Amino acid sequence: MSSLVVNRVTKTWQAAKGLSVEAIRDASLRVSSGEFVAILGPSGCGKSTLLELCAGLERVSGGFISIDGEEVRNPNPKAVMVFQEHALFPWLDVESNVGFGLKMRKTAVNERWRKVRDVLERVKLVKFARHYPHQLSGGMKQRVAIARALVGSPEFMLMDEPFAALDFQTRVLMQQFLLEVWAGFKSTILFVTHQIDEAVLLADRVVVMSAAPGRVLEEIAIALPRPRSMTDPEFNAYRVRLTSHMEREVMHGAEVQ
Amino acid sequence: MARSAAAALVPWLALVALWELAAARGWMSTTLFPPPSSFIRFAIESDFRVGFGQEGMTIPVAILASAWRVVMGLMLGFVAAVATGIAVSMSRFLSAAILPIVRGLAPIAPIAWIPVGIVVFGIGNPTAIFVVFTGVYFLLTLSTVAAVQSVDSRLIKTARTFGASNRQIWAHVVFPAVLPQVFTMLRINFFAAWMAVLAAEMVGLKNGVGMIVILGREMFNPNLIMLGICIIGVTGYAVDALLLLIQRKVLWWKPE
């Protein structure tokens, strides 16, 4: 059983002229295999930074992050990041975008195409294998980005507000799609969002972060059966509880500034 | 594409019609500004040959000579500039050693390199290619460096999260990401390079389409001058259209 452990992590950015900015202070959390965990917090609370630390794209300033007991220092095939606004390579078609990670890790060509085909079939993108990103809608691009992350069978998918740039209708469809992927691929997802509804709809557990410097304020388990409905009274109870947290943090953040 | 080409032809046909009308009605001097009907007839009657003896050449050969020079110079300049720009961006030492020199040489007009080319390479194709090369190389090196700096950081982070090494990031992300932007700069600078080739042909090389105009002046033949000017325009337009085609078909992606 694999797990991602964030233990008392701090992150300080060194700016010019000896100034430093504290992005994360003493944050701890744990994600176990198969879980769907959402990190919820106001803009600029360091939640994206926390994800980049987990992905090994940045180094922690204090504390440690480990995957299966091994400290994360560099990018790691076990934890792959999916960014806001897809970040597909515009010069590669869908199948080459999806196969990019396998190519970088020098997977044999035959095996690479077999895995790419397999993932494209499972996420129903085969028809678009030869399309280029600019020929796809926003939702389709994000599906390709998710397929690209899935193809290497990572243990953790780290998603940084992946649906924030989409319109409401597309976002609803993508949230549904992500839940299907999560169930179908038995993946483990750490999902950053600033939208309360999205967190309650998707996650097993919501980790609430404070305004900068980011700290973990509370963890709330969402004990609602799936599929969840946003109009359910119990859903609303979670929404109210999280909204009061967020309001407090936003106001607090405004005072600090 | 065919439709827009046809649309672009209409104002030209109108201009030629006006020109012919003005010449026929005597509104302007046909000796100084012979209309197309005159200089095209002249070209056909002289069997598409201009000049005599050592300076003699056929018009198609002249066009090919000029076009070859500019295309070769642009190609070499583009490849060398992208290579230099990426090398400079990868190394602080190279950046400190080379960039100040490139910045200093970039503002020099390509025409100013003609005497240098003639001294170093003599009279011939290498000089013309050298002039085009220097005309685009320094500018494109600077624009490659700028393009490298503006590569979307999410693309680089994405590559890193998929385990790409630094070398792989340069080869598979930065290199393809900068090509369209640098090629656009190449197209913008093509006209300056084209003018430099013509000037080189006029002052030293003694062949190519630039030479047709000079021959016209030396022989007091306005038909030849007008013919040369028209060929320069049409050939330049054709090379620019070729560059545009490459941009649309080969280097079509833009940063999102």
Side-chain angles (χ1 to χ4, degrees):
Chain A
M1 184 108 152
S2 56
S3 63
L4 175 98
V5 175
V6 175
N7 189 23
R8 311 203 63 173
V9 161
T10 60
K11 177 67 185 176
T12 308
W13 297 109
Q14 295 300 330
K17 293 176 190 163
L19 293 172
S20 61
V21 180
E22 194 179 16
I24 297 171
R25 181 188 292 171
D26 201 21
S28 299
L29 66 101
R30 184 190 179 91
V31 185
S32 302
S33 168
E35 271 193 304
F36 197 133
V37 176
I39 300 178
L40 181 67
S43 297
C45 76
K47 51 196 193 302
S48 298
T49 304
L50 183 60
L51 222 52
E52 291 189 2
L53 293 171
C54 292
L57 294 172
E58 300 289 344
R59 298 273 177 94
V60 296
S61 307
F64 69 84
I65 295 175
S66 68
I67 291 175
D68 299 343
E70 222 174 294
E71 189 166 1
V72 175
R73 296 176 156 274
N74 291 306
N76 180 334
K78 287 181 178 175
V80 165
M81 191 138 169
V82 176
F83 291 90
Q84 192 177 349
E85 304 199 26
H86 62 82
L88 298 178
F89 300 110
W91 54 87
L92 297 179
D93 61 11
V94 166
E95 58 182 10
S96 299
N97 259 292
V98 172
F100 183 84
L102 298 174
K103 189 174 178 189
M104 293 303 107
R105 296 196 192 276
K106 305 204 161 58
T107 309
V109 177
N110 286 339
E111 195 191 343
R112 195 201 310 164
W113 291 122
R114 193 178 52 72
K115 284 187 170 174
V116 168
R117 281 280 146 185
D118 184 47
V119 163
L120 289 179
E121 258 168 46
R122 291 178 72 181
V123 300
K124 301 188 179 64
L125 280 172
V126 175
K127 268 193 295 183
F128 301 95
R130 295 290 162 81
H131 283 53
Y132 285 88
H134 71 99
Q135 298 168 309
L136 304 174
S137 67
M140 290 292 265
K141 286 184 208 174
Q142 203 51 283
R143 269 164 72 159
V144 176
I146 291 170
R148 182 171 65 177
L150 287 168
V151 74
S153 321
E155 287 172 28
F156 298 90
M157 281 223 283
L158 311 170
M159 309 186 79
D160 186 10
E161 305 203 30
F163 308 145
L166 302 175
D167 59 73
F168 176 76
Q169 191 186 343
T170 312
R171 189 161 62 233
V172 170
L173 291 171
M174 286 305 297
Q175 287 163 344
Q176 201 49 49
F177 170 74
L178 183 61
L179 286 173
E180 284 165 19
V181 162
W182 174 63
F185 285 78
K186 305 217 174 350
S187 38
T188 310
I189 296 177
L190 185 56
F191 187 102
V192 159
T193 182
H194 63 265
Q195 289 184 316
I196 293 166
D197 283 347
E198 189 166 68
V200 179
L201 183 74
L202 297 173
D204 295 320
R205 220 157 21 101
V206 177
V207 175
V208 183
M209 278 183 81
S210 70
R215 283 156 295 140
V216 173
L217 290 179
E218 196 182 0
E219 288 195 22
I220 298 174
I222 309 293
L224 293 174
R226 291 187 173 90
R228 293 171 182 167
S229 161
M230 289 200 201
T231 52
D232 186 353
E234 283 179 79
F235 192 106
N236 207 38
Y238 282 111
R239 181 190 284 141
V240 169
R241 191 168 156 195
L242 288 164
T243 304
S244 69
H245 261 301
M246 287 285 277
E247 268 176 359
R248 208 165 51 233
E249 278 316 309
V250 168
M251 295 318 289
H252 175 68
E255 278 165 30
V256 171
Q257 278 169 359
Chain B
M1 189 87 181
R3 213 174 147 166
S4 70
L9 216 54
V10 172
W12 277 107
L13 291 176
L15 183 68
V16 168
L18 196 66
W19 191 356
E20 293 289 350
L21 187 71
R25 291 287 175 92
W27 295 338
M28 58 187 237
S29 156
T30 51
T31 340
L32 290 178
F33 297 104
S37 60
S38 162
F39 65 72
I40 289 173
R41 191 186 323 125
F42 165 80
I44 295 169
E45 280 169 2
S46 56
D47 210 11
F48 297 100
R49 297 190 130 275
V50 291
F52 302 101
Q54 281 214 309
E55 290 183 341
M57 59 188 163
T58 66
I59 290 170
V61 167
I63 294 173
L64 282 179
S66 299
W68 167 254
R69 288 163 183 163
V70 74
V71 168
M72 278 304 285
L74 291 177
M75 219 166 70
L76 292 174
F78 182 74
V79 171
V82 170
T84 316
I86 287 185
V88 160
S89 305
M90 286 173 84
S91 145
R92 272 172 199 231
F93 171 76
L94 286 180
S95 159
I98 293 176
L99 269 191
I101 296 173
V102 171
R103 284 221 176 81
L105 295 177
I108 298 170
I111 292 173
W113 290 102
I114 294 172
V116 181
I118 291 178
V119 170
V120 176
F121 296 105
I123 288 175
N125 273 338
T127 298
I129 293 169
F130 165 79
V131 167
V132 177
F133 178 88
T134 45
V136 296
Y137 171 72
F138 300 110
L139 284 167
L140 292 189
T141 301
L142 293 182
S143 74
T144 305
V145 172
V148 167
Q149 280 162 0
S150 68
V151 173
D152 188 344
S153 65
R154 288 171 316 175
L155 295 182
I156 292 171
K157 281 183 184 173
T158 299
R160 287 183 58 211
T161 194
F162 288 113
S165 65
N166 273 337
R167 201 189 53 76
Q168 283 175 319
I169 287 171
W170 284 103
H172 294 285
V173 182
V174 178
F175 176 67
V178 301
L179 282 185
Q181 198 176 329
V182 181
F183 197 81
T184 303
M185 282 300 289
L186 177 81
R187 254 195 81 213
I188 291 169
N189 285 295
F190 157 67
F191 290 113
W194 182 229
M195 288 171 208
V197 165
L198 300 174
E201 288 169 352
M202 289 176 185
V203 300
L205 299 190
K206 302 289 177 200
N207 59 24
V209 292
M211 190 56 198
I212 296 175
V213 179
I214 294 300
L215 279 175
R217 192 198 66 186
E218 285 172 352
M219 295 154 72
F220 301 104
N221 184 340
N223 273 324
L224 203 50
I225 294 174
M226 276 300 156
L227 182 67
I229 288 173
C230 284
I231 290 173
I232 288 168
V234 171
T235 312
Y237 183 89
V239 176
D240 187 50
L242 174 74
L243 295 177
L244 188 63
L245 192 73
I246 293 174
Q247 191 170 22
R248 285 191 180 154
K249 297 289 170 190
V250 186
L251 300 170
W252 47 267
W253 59 88
K254 291 188 197 88
E256 300 220 5

